[in-house]
């Protein structure tokens, strides 16, 4: 069967899987952003906790994804949940690291001026430091998204949603003519999603970054 | 500790102590010595006090303890009668304008938003904030329509410094702290900003603590100067005039550098001295009248004035011989060394050195002749300034033999 024909036949499937894939990655990125920025904000001014947090979030990335998904079956079962948890853990490092870098790169003179004008620590963080670090933070979020789009496909082994389904079905049928088409379609789906997310981040970054620091 | 004989006579302040630093010390964590040690200083309302001294002597640290960006290790800070050593630092800082050397504008906010910082923190309503922003920008010579919506990166260095000053004036604080606010700009722009700032200060009359390491800037800006000599010593705390004419120690003399007398001339004005008269005639006078005036003086030429009294020519008897019958305003030499009464003695000196008859002609704002300044008057002025300063210093010393007044420790 011709690949294009295959895609047209499976059009509905492709769309549905794409939405699932985007949803699971989107949810994980959101969680990783909330936790990652939180950890970054909490630790960027204390060298010791900063190093510890970077070490731990970095360690997550070294766990083979296959293994982590399977290990999570015990506590979390199958489906959406273990995938989101695993992806969130994998997604932390780029976000935490960029949050810390972004906040530490803010010119100390600007912070001193803000404090000197009578802003509280919290006001300085919200009104000055985070907006200035934002372009760096959102770059971290974008990297996380791209990494997670790929890893999410493997979540299919714990019956997670998304294009992994096509890839693993293809894997199960290696040798049959449809197998290559299945794997190709799954891969293509992930690549298309990656491009779409990239465009999305470009737009978000543009809209949320002050003209003064662009 | 703090003698009471420290009336700030001769300076623009009200004489009320606005900021009192009492035995302030700061030792930074991990340091073996104090950055500032047991320093006491009274700063009067409405004055510009300049902290000046060699690098590392603790100027910045002292200034930052006033708004507690640096928390003192010991000692007290009293602001307008309130002990603010341990009160809420944010509230304290909203009462004090702060200009740092690096300016520190918020790059992601427009100029308008930057200037609105403190009014917004104080919860002013939108209309009031907007009106204040425009007022402040106008005050520092930045057209609000042009600059309000720009970002800091779209301004020149000098414009950013102005915005920094406007932002610090945000909620009209009584006190301003300025750390080398005109540091990193070219000399011409710096001079202009200094002049603008002094003009602004004449209107707003803030109590200002101004840090610089440049003695010339200190002499120009300060109503009073504290020369710091390392962590635990104020070498002299006095008016620029006193510091120049009666330096308290060799350290101060060295710090002022050569040419103290010349610098002193920058601080006195032509209007402060009595002018000498030079023989003059009106344009319409005839030769006989001119020669008669000249004969009755000991000078070699007369100054010809026009009908409005403005200097037109120097005319000597030679000129009459050389151009018989010519109108007096077409012969002789055009007077070049002309100054107005608000000119400094140093300007007048500079002019008269190269002038034809070694005098500067003084005219009023309409150009009308008032008199002349010669070198003898300037040396007399220097001599009497020195005598007065020495007398003042001696008077204080007898009242308070322990040291220079106003400074404890
Ligand atoms: N945060 C800090 N930690 C440790 N030491 C400090 C700190 N800030 C200043 N010092 C030290 O305190 C002393 C006084 O510093 P300060 O910045 O007040 O000097 P300054 O008179 O402003 O000098 P400059 O003219 O160079 O700006 C210096 O010896 C400096 O090294
Ligand atoms: Mg300094």
């Amino acid at each position: 069967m011709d690949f294009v024909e295959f895609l047209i036949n499976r059009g509905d499937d492709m769309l549905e899987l794409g939405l699932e894939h985007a949803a699971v990655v989107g949810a994980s990125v959101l969680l990783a952003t909330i936790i990652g920025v939180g950890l970054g904000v909490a630790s960027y001014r204390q060298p010791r906790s900063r190093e510890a947090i970077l070490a731990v979030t970095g360690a997550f990335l070294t766990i083979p994804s296959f293994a982590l998904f399977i290990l999570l079956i015990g506590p979390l079962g199958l489906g959406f949940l273990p995938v989101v948890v695993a992806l969130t853990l994998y997604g932390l490092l780029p976000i935490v690291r960029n949050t810390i870098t972004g906040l530490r790169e803010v010119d100390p003179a600007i912070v001193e001026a803000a404090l000197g004008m009578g802003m509280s620590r919290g006001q300085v963080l919200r009104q000055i430091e985070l907006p200035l670090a934002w372009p760096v933070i959102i770059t971290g979020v974008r990297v996380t998204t791209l990494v997670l789009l790929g890893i999410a496909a493997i979540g299919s082994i714990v019956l997670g949603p998304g294009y992994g389904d096509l890839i693993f079905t293809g894997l199960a049928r290696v040798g049959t003519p449809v197998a290559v088409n299945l794997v190709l379609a799954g891969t293509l789906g992930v690549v298309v999603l990656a491009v779409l997310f990239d465009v999305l981040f470009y737009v978000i970054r543009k809209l949320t970054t002050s003209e003064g620091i662009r | 500790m703090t003698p009471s004989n420290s009336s700030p006579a001769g300076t623009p302040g009200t004489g009320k102590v606005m900021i009192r630093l009492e035995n302030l010390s700061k030792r930074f964590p991990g340091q073996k010595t104090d950055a500032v040690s047991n320093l006491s200083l009274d700063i009067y309302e409405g004055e510009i006090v300049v902290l000046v001294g060699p690098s590392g002597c603790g100027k910045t640290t002292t200034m930052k303890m006033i708004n507690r960006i640096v928390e003192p290790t010991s000692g007290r800070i009293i602001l307008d009668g309130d002990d603010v050593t341990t009160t809420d630092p944010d509230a304290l800082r909203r009462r004090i304008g702060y200009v740092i050397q690096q300016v520190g504008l918020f790059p992601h906010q427009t100029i308008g938003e930057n200037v609105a910082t403190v009014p917004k923190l104080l919860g002013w309503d939108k209309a009031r904030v907007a009106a204040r922003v425009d007022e402040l920008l106008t005050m520092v010579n930045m057209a609000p329509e042009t600059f309000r919506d720009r970002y800091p990166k779209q301004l020149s260095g000098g414009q950013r410094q102005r915005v920094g000053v406007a932002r610090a004036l945000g909620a009209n604080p009584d006190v301003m702290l300025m750390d080398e606010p005109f540091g990193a700009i070219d000399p011409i722009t710096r001079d202009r900003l200094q002049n603008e700032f002094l003009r602004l200060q004449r209107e707003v009359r803030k109590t200002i603590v101004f840090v610089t390491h440049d003695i010339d800037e200190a002499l120009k800006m300060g109503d009073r100067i504290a020369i710091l000599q390392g962590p635990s010593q104020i070498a002299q705390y006095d008016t620029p005039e006193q510091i120049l004419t009666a330096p308290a120690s060799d350290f101060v003399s060295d710090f002022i550098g050569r040419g103290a007398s010349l610098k002193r001339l920058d601080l006195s004005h032509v209007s402060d001295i009595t002018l000498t008269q030079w023989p003059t005639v009106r344009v319409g006078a005839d030769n006989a009248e001119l020669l008669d005036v000249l004969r009755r003086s000991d000078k070699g030429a007369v100054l010809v004035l026009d009908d409005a009294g403005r200097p037109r020519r120097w005319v000597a008897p030679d000129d009459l011989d050389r151009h018989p019958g010519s109108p007096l305003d077409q012969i002789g030499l055009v007077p070049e060394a002309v100054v107005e009464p608000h000119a400094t003695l140093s300007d007048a000196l500079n002019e008269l050195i190269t002038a034809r008859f070694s005098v500067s002609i003084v005219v009023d704002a309409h150009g009308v002749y008032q008199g002349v300044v010669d070198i003898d008057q300037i040396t007399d002025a220097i001599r009497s300034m020195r005598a007065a300063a020495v007398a003042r210093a001696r008077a204080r010393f007898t009242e308070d033999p322990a040291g220079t007044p106003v400074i404890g420790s």
Side-chain angles (χ1 to χ4, degrees):
Chain A
M1 205 190 322
D2 186 40
F3 180 59
V4 178
E5 224 175 281
F6 174 88
L7 279 183
I8 296 168
N9 284 343
R10 297 288 198 102
D12 286 352
D13 248 8
M14 287 296 285
L15 187 65
E16 195 182 321
L17 290 174
L19 289 176
E20 283 178 4
H21 202 103
V24 77
V25 170
S28 312
V29 169
L30 196 68
L31 271 174
T33 304
I34 293 169
I35 299 169
V37 172
L39 288 174
V41 163
S43 68
Y44 77 106
R45 297 204 296 152
Q46 293 108 15
R48 226 178 277 154
S49 52
R50 193 168 71 215
E51 296 311 323
I53 284 173
L54 285 175
V56 171
T57 52
F60 288 142
L61 271 182
T62 64
I63 310 173
S65 50
F66 228 88
L68 184 60
F69 282 122
I70 293 165
L71 287 174
L72 286 176
I73 297 177
L76 300 173
L78 297 169
F80 195 82
L81 190 61
V83 179
V84 168
V85 171
L87 292 186
T88 303
L89 293 181
Y90 283 127
L92 285 177
L93 180 69
I95 297 176
V96 172
R97 199 184 47 204
N98 280 33
T99 303
I100 289 174
T101 309
L103 290 172
R104 279 166 55 84
E105 271 173 5
V106 173
D107 182 353
I110 292 173
V111 174
E112 189 188 312
L115 288 173
M117 234 146 312
M119 284 193 191
S120 65
R121 251 330 311 176
Q123 283 168 325
V124 174
L125 184 68
R126 280 191 306 278
Q127 296 177 25
I128 309 294
E129 292 177 299
L130 280 175
L132 289 177
W134 182 243
V136 183
I137 296 175
I138 194 151
T139 303
V141 177
R142 186 176 143 250
V143 171
T144 284
T145 309
L146 297 183
V147 171
L148 295 193
L149 279 169
I151 300 179
I154 297 163
S156 198
I157 51 158
V158 292
L159 304 182
Y163 287 122
D165 193 29
L166 294 177
I167 295 167
F168 277 92
T169 315
L171 191 65
R173 300 194 193 168
V174 170
T176 67
V178 79
V180 175
N181 281 346
L182 280 167
V183 173
L184 268 182
T187 310
L188 182 70
V190 172
V191 170
V192 169
L193 274 185
V195 172
L196 291 179
F197 267 110
D198 232 25
V199 171
L200 179 73
F201 276 114
Y202 178 78
V203 173
I204 293 180
R205 182 178 164 153
K206 204 131 194 144
L207 292 180
T208 54
T209 304
S210 155
E211 204 186 305
I213 52 174
R214 227 176 271 156
Chain B
M1 298 250 67
T2 311
S4 53
N5 63 335
S6 48
S7 111
T11 52
T14 55
K16 183 178 117 182
V17 174
M18 191 62 174
I19 305 168
R20 167 164 290 175
L21 307 182
E22 267 182 29
N23 306 104
L24 270 191
S25 296
K26 175 67 189 180
R27 180 171 301 190
F28 287 102
Q31 302 289 316
K32 288 198 182 60
T33 54
D34 289 348
V36 172
S37 175
N38 206 29
L39 179 130
S40 299
L41 192 66
D42 279 356
I43 294 165
Y44 298 101
E45 187 178 38
E47 288 192 354
I48 299 181
V49 166
V50 181
L51 305 181
V52 68
S55 186
C57 67
K59 307 179 290 289
T60 299
T61 307
T62 302
M63 195 198 76
K64 285 184 183 176
M65 282 196 280
I66 297 174
N67 67 353
R68 288 171 50 210
I69 288 286
V70 170
E71 290 284 359
T73 315
S74 64
R76 297 206 306 161
I77 307 148
I78 293 157
L79 180 68
D80 201 5
D82 306 331
D83 186 337
V84 294
T85 323
T86 53
T87 56
D88 172 23
D90 296 336
L92 170 69
R93 291 171 193 158
R94 287 171 202 175
R95 290 170 64 187
I96 300 180
Y98 188 43
V99 185
I100 59 174
Q101 174 168 4
Q102 309 88 329
V103 190
L105 294 185
F106 307 139
H108 60 302
Q109 296 185 353
T110 62
I111 300 311
E113 288 166 338
N114 266 283
V115 174
T117 306
V118 182
K120 273 194 199 149
L121 285 173
L122 294 173
W124 293 14
D125 66 58
K126 267 212 174 97
R128 187 169 166 216
V129 172
R132 180 67 179 155
V133 166
D134 286 5
E135 182 188 6
L136 286 166
L137 286 177
T138 312
M139 230 187 246
V140 296
N141 289 331
M142 307 263 298
E145 321 75 61
T146 317
F147 291 105
R148 197 194 294 126
D149 299 319
R150 289 213 199 161
Y151 285 94
K153 69 172 181 191
Q154 298 162 319
L155 301 187
S156 72
Q159 289 168 337
R160 278 183 225 157
Q161 302 270 9
R162 289 195 190 128
V163 175
V165 172
R167 182 174 67 172
L169 285 167
N172 204 13
D174 296 327
V175 174
M176 298 258 285
L177 306 179
M178 310 178 83
D179 191 358
E180 308 208 22
F182 309 126
I185 29 184
D186 66 272
I188 294 170
T189 312
R190 181 190 311 156
D191 196 55
R192 203 173 60 224
L193 289 179
Q194 288 168 341
N195 293 338
E196 274 177 23
F197 185 76
L198 287 172
R199 198 171 312 128
L200 181 61
Q201 164 68 355
R202 278 196 286 275
E203 287 166 35
V204 296
R205 286 260 171 266
K206 304 289 179 203
T207 306
I208 295 169
V209 180
F210 190 109
V211 167
T212 179
H213 61 264
D214 175 359
I215 184 68
D216 291 312
E217 182 169 61
L219 292 168
K220 176 170 181 182
M221 304 301 287
D223 294 310
R224 205 174 284 273
I225 298 174
I227 299 184
L228 273 59
Q229 183 182 355
S232 52
Q233 206 179 341
I234 299 178
Q236 190 166 7
Y237 182 43
D238 223 324
T239 59
E241 289 80 0
Q242 281 295 115
I243 283 178
L244 283 176
T245 21
S249 65
D250 288 347
F251 176 82
V252 174
S253 309
D254 284 348
F255 193 73
I256 298 167
R258 294 168 67 91
S261 295
L262 289 178
K263 286 173 185 169
R264 183 66 181 78
L265 292 180
D266 273 328
L267 300 171
S268 326
H269 299 266
V270 170
S271 52
D272 300 338
I273 60 175
T274 320
L275 302 180
T276 317
Q277 289 305 317
W278 191 272
T280 63
V281 295
R282 292 283 160 159
V283 150
D286 57 23
N287 289 4
E289 186 184 339
L290 190 150
L291 291 170
D292 186 45
V293 167
L294 205 51
R295 207 168 303 120
R296 278 189 278 111
S297 76
D298 58 347
K299 308 290 196 240
V302 291
L303 185 60
V304 177
L305 307 179
D306 68 10
D307 292 329
R310 293 178 295 224
R312 295 304 305 268
R313 294 281 165 153
W314 291 114
V315 175
D318 287 6
D319 300 314
L320 295 177
D321 295 345
R322 233 173 292 146
H323 308 275
S326 296
L328 287 182
D329 60 352
Q330 282 170 30
I331 60 175
L333 291 164
V334 178
E336 267 157 3
V338 177
V339 297
E340 292 190 15
H342 65 71
T344 62
L345 287 190
S346 132
D347 294 336
L349 177 63
N350 190 44
E351 292 293 329
L352 76 81
I353 283 172
T354 52
R356 185 73 179 86
F357 299 98
S358 295
V359 292
S360 282
I361 303 170
V362 181
V363 298
D364 69 10
H366 306 291
V368 175
Y369 168 80
Q370 305 291 310
V372 298
V373 177
D374 63 23
I375 189 85
D376 291 337
Q377 283 164 283
I378 289 182
T379 44
D380 282 351
I382 293 175
R383 216 168 287 130
S384 66
M385 287 184 291
R386 178 161 306 135
V390 168
R392 267 196 299 270
R394 201 167 283 146
R396 287 191 203 170
F397 187 77
T398 33
E399 281 172 51
D400 172 34
T404 322
V406 194
I407 305 153
S409 95

